[in-house]
Amino acid sequence: DFSLTVRSANPLHGNVVPDENGVGHKYKSWVDIKAVPNSGYAFDYWVDENGNKIATQDFSCQILGDTTFVVYFKPAPIPVHMEVNDLAMGSITPGTGYYPFDSVMTITAVPKPGYKLCQWHNGSQSESLTYQVIAHDSLFKATFCKASYWVKTEAYEGKGTVMPNSTQYEYQTDVKVYATPKDGYHLAHWNTGSTADTIYYQVAAKDSNFIAYFEPNLYTVETSVYESHGTVTQFADKQPFGSVANIVANPNDGYTFDHWEDKYGNTVWT
């Protein structure tokens, strides 16, 4: 008799049939040999006593002398499926494919501009998950939704108001931003260059800032002298609201200043 040894290089990965260690067999007898991988593993190759590789998982061997076969297994490719609620909102990397059993993967949700990850199928809101591949199909589903961005508003130097107040809005929301000047002022322009009182804006995939700049209104200051008994300061140009206009009355010889009247005949200064 000649001895036959058939064994697995790692019994945790798979077994052999027959499982023999030095068992005697008749010369020129035949033995059916099989490799049986455990869950999560696949047959890789056999090695005989001379170091030759055998690529066939199951084969028959004729005993011609002492013989040894050692089988090696490898991690099996396992399907891992990736799914998103809307491809227009984002994707998952890596994609659906076969990945080696027991390998460790980093699975990442990649939102497109304007969107964010709401949650994974397991409720996690972390953009990346760590996963050790198990011995059966797995599914990862990411749910994306619209992200929110700041629309900040400001009235420069407080010479008016801007509405609405600074707040966050969902991506693609239509927002109306409008400026209201205080008495004596008018809107000069926005930081965007627009001079319209109202801006219609669809929220982009970034924070936005709207600043309204106001300028004082210009007013005519008219002066005159009753019966031409002197002279007063004349203003060729309109004067801005809130500015100080110095008006001087110069009486002619033989006259003195008496009082000022407004356009309604009311005495305003003496």
Side-chain angles (χ1 to χ4, degrees):
D1 287 355
F2 293 97
S3 68
L4 173 65
T5 297
V6 183
R7 64 183 179 85
S8 171
N10 188 336
L12 295 177
H13 296 171
N15 299 297
V16 294
V17 176
D19 186 357
E20 297 189 357
N21 185 8
V23 175
H25 288 269
K26 296 293 184 181
Y27 176 66
K28 287 191 176 182
S29 62
W30 287 89
V31 179
D32 292 332
I33 297 175
K34 296 181 179 181
V36 183
N38 289 340
S39 178
Y41 290 92
F43 168 77
D44 195 4
Y45 58 88
W46 292 91
V47 174
D48 66 17
E49 68 277 4
N50 297 314
N52 300 312
K53 286 188 177 181
I54 302 170
T56 305
Q57 182 170 347
D58 302 334
F59 62 96
S60 294
C61 170
Q62 188 177 31
I63 305 300
L64 300 175
D66 292 341
T67 306
T68 298
F69 294 105
V70 179
V71 68
Y72 290 82
F73 298 96
K74 62 184 177 181
I78 306 297
V80 180
H81 303 275
M82 310 297 179
E83 183 179 320
V84 299
N85 62 315
D86 191 336
L87 287 172
M89 295 183 179
S91 60
I92 299 175
T93 185
T96 295
Y98 288 84
Y99 298 92
F101 168 69
D102 211 33
S103 62
V104 177
M105 303 174 60
T106 298
I107 300 172
T108 303
V110 184
K112 291 187 176 181
Y115 299 93
K116 66 178 182 179
L117 173 70
C118 283
Q119 65 177 24
W120 291 94
H121 58 284
N122 62 0
S124 173
Q125 294 179 328
S126 174
E127 286 197 350
S128 293
L129 300 176
T130 300
Y131 172 63
Q132 189 168 18
V133 179
I134 58 178
H136 58 76
D137 292 17
S138 299
L139 171 64
F140 289 83
K141 182 174 182 179
T143 299
F144 296 98
C145 56
K146 288 185 176 182
S148 294
Y149 298 92
W150 278 101
V151 176
K152 297 181 179 180
T153 57
E154 178 185 347
Y156 185 71
E157 293 184 344
K159 295 175 181 177
T161 59
V162 177
M163 294 299 291
N165 294 324
S166 297
T167 191
Q168 288 185 317
Y169 295 91
E170 280 191 350
Y171 174 58
Q172 294 181 326
T173 299
D174 292 322
V175 179
K176 181 173 72 172
V177 181
Y178 58 94
T180 304
K182 288 185 176 180
D183 290 342
Y185 293 89
H186 64 274
L187 175 69
H189 60 85
W190 295 89
N191 61 313
T192 61
S194 173
T195 57
D197 289 340
T198 301
I199 293 177
Y200 295 92
Y201 173 67
Q202 187 176 69
V203 175
K206 62 179 181 179
D207 294 340
S208 302
N209 194 25
F210 294 93
I211 304 173
Y213 294 87
F214 300 92
E215 291 180 348
N217 295 334
L218 298 178
Y219 296 97
T220 299
V221 179
E222 295 181 357
T223 58
S224 61
V225 179
Y226 182 70
E227 294 185 352
S228 303
H229 293 157
T231 60
V232 293
T233 304
Q234 301 290 320
F235 297 92
D237 299 319
K238 292 183 177 182
Q239 303 299 303
F241 171 76
S243 63
V244 176
N246 293 315
I247 305 173
V248 179
N250 298 301
N252 291 341
D253 291 342
Y255 291 89
T256 61
F257 172 76
D258 186 30
H259 66 276
W260 291 95
E261 293 179 356
D262 63 19
K263 65 180 180 179
Y264 303 108
N266 302 311
T267 297
V268 291
W269 291 292
T270 57

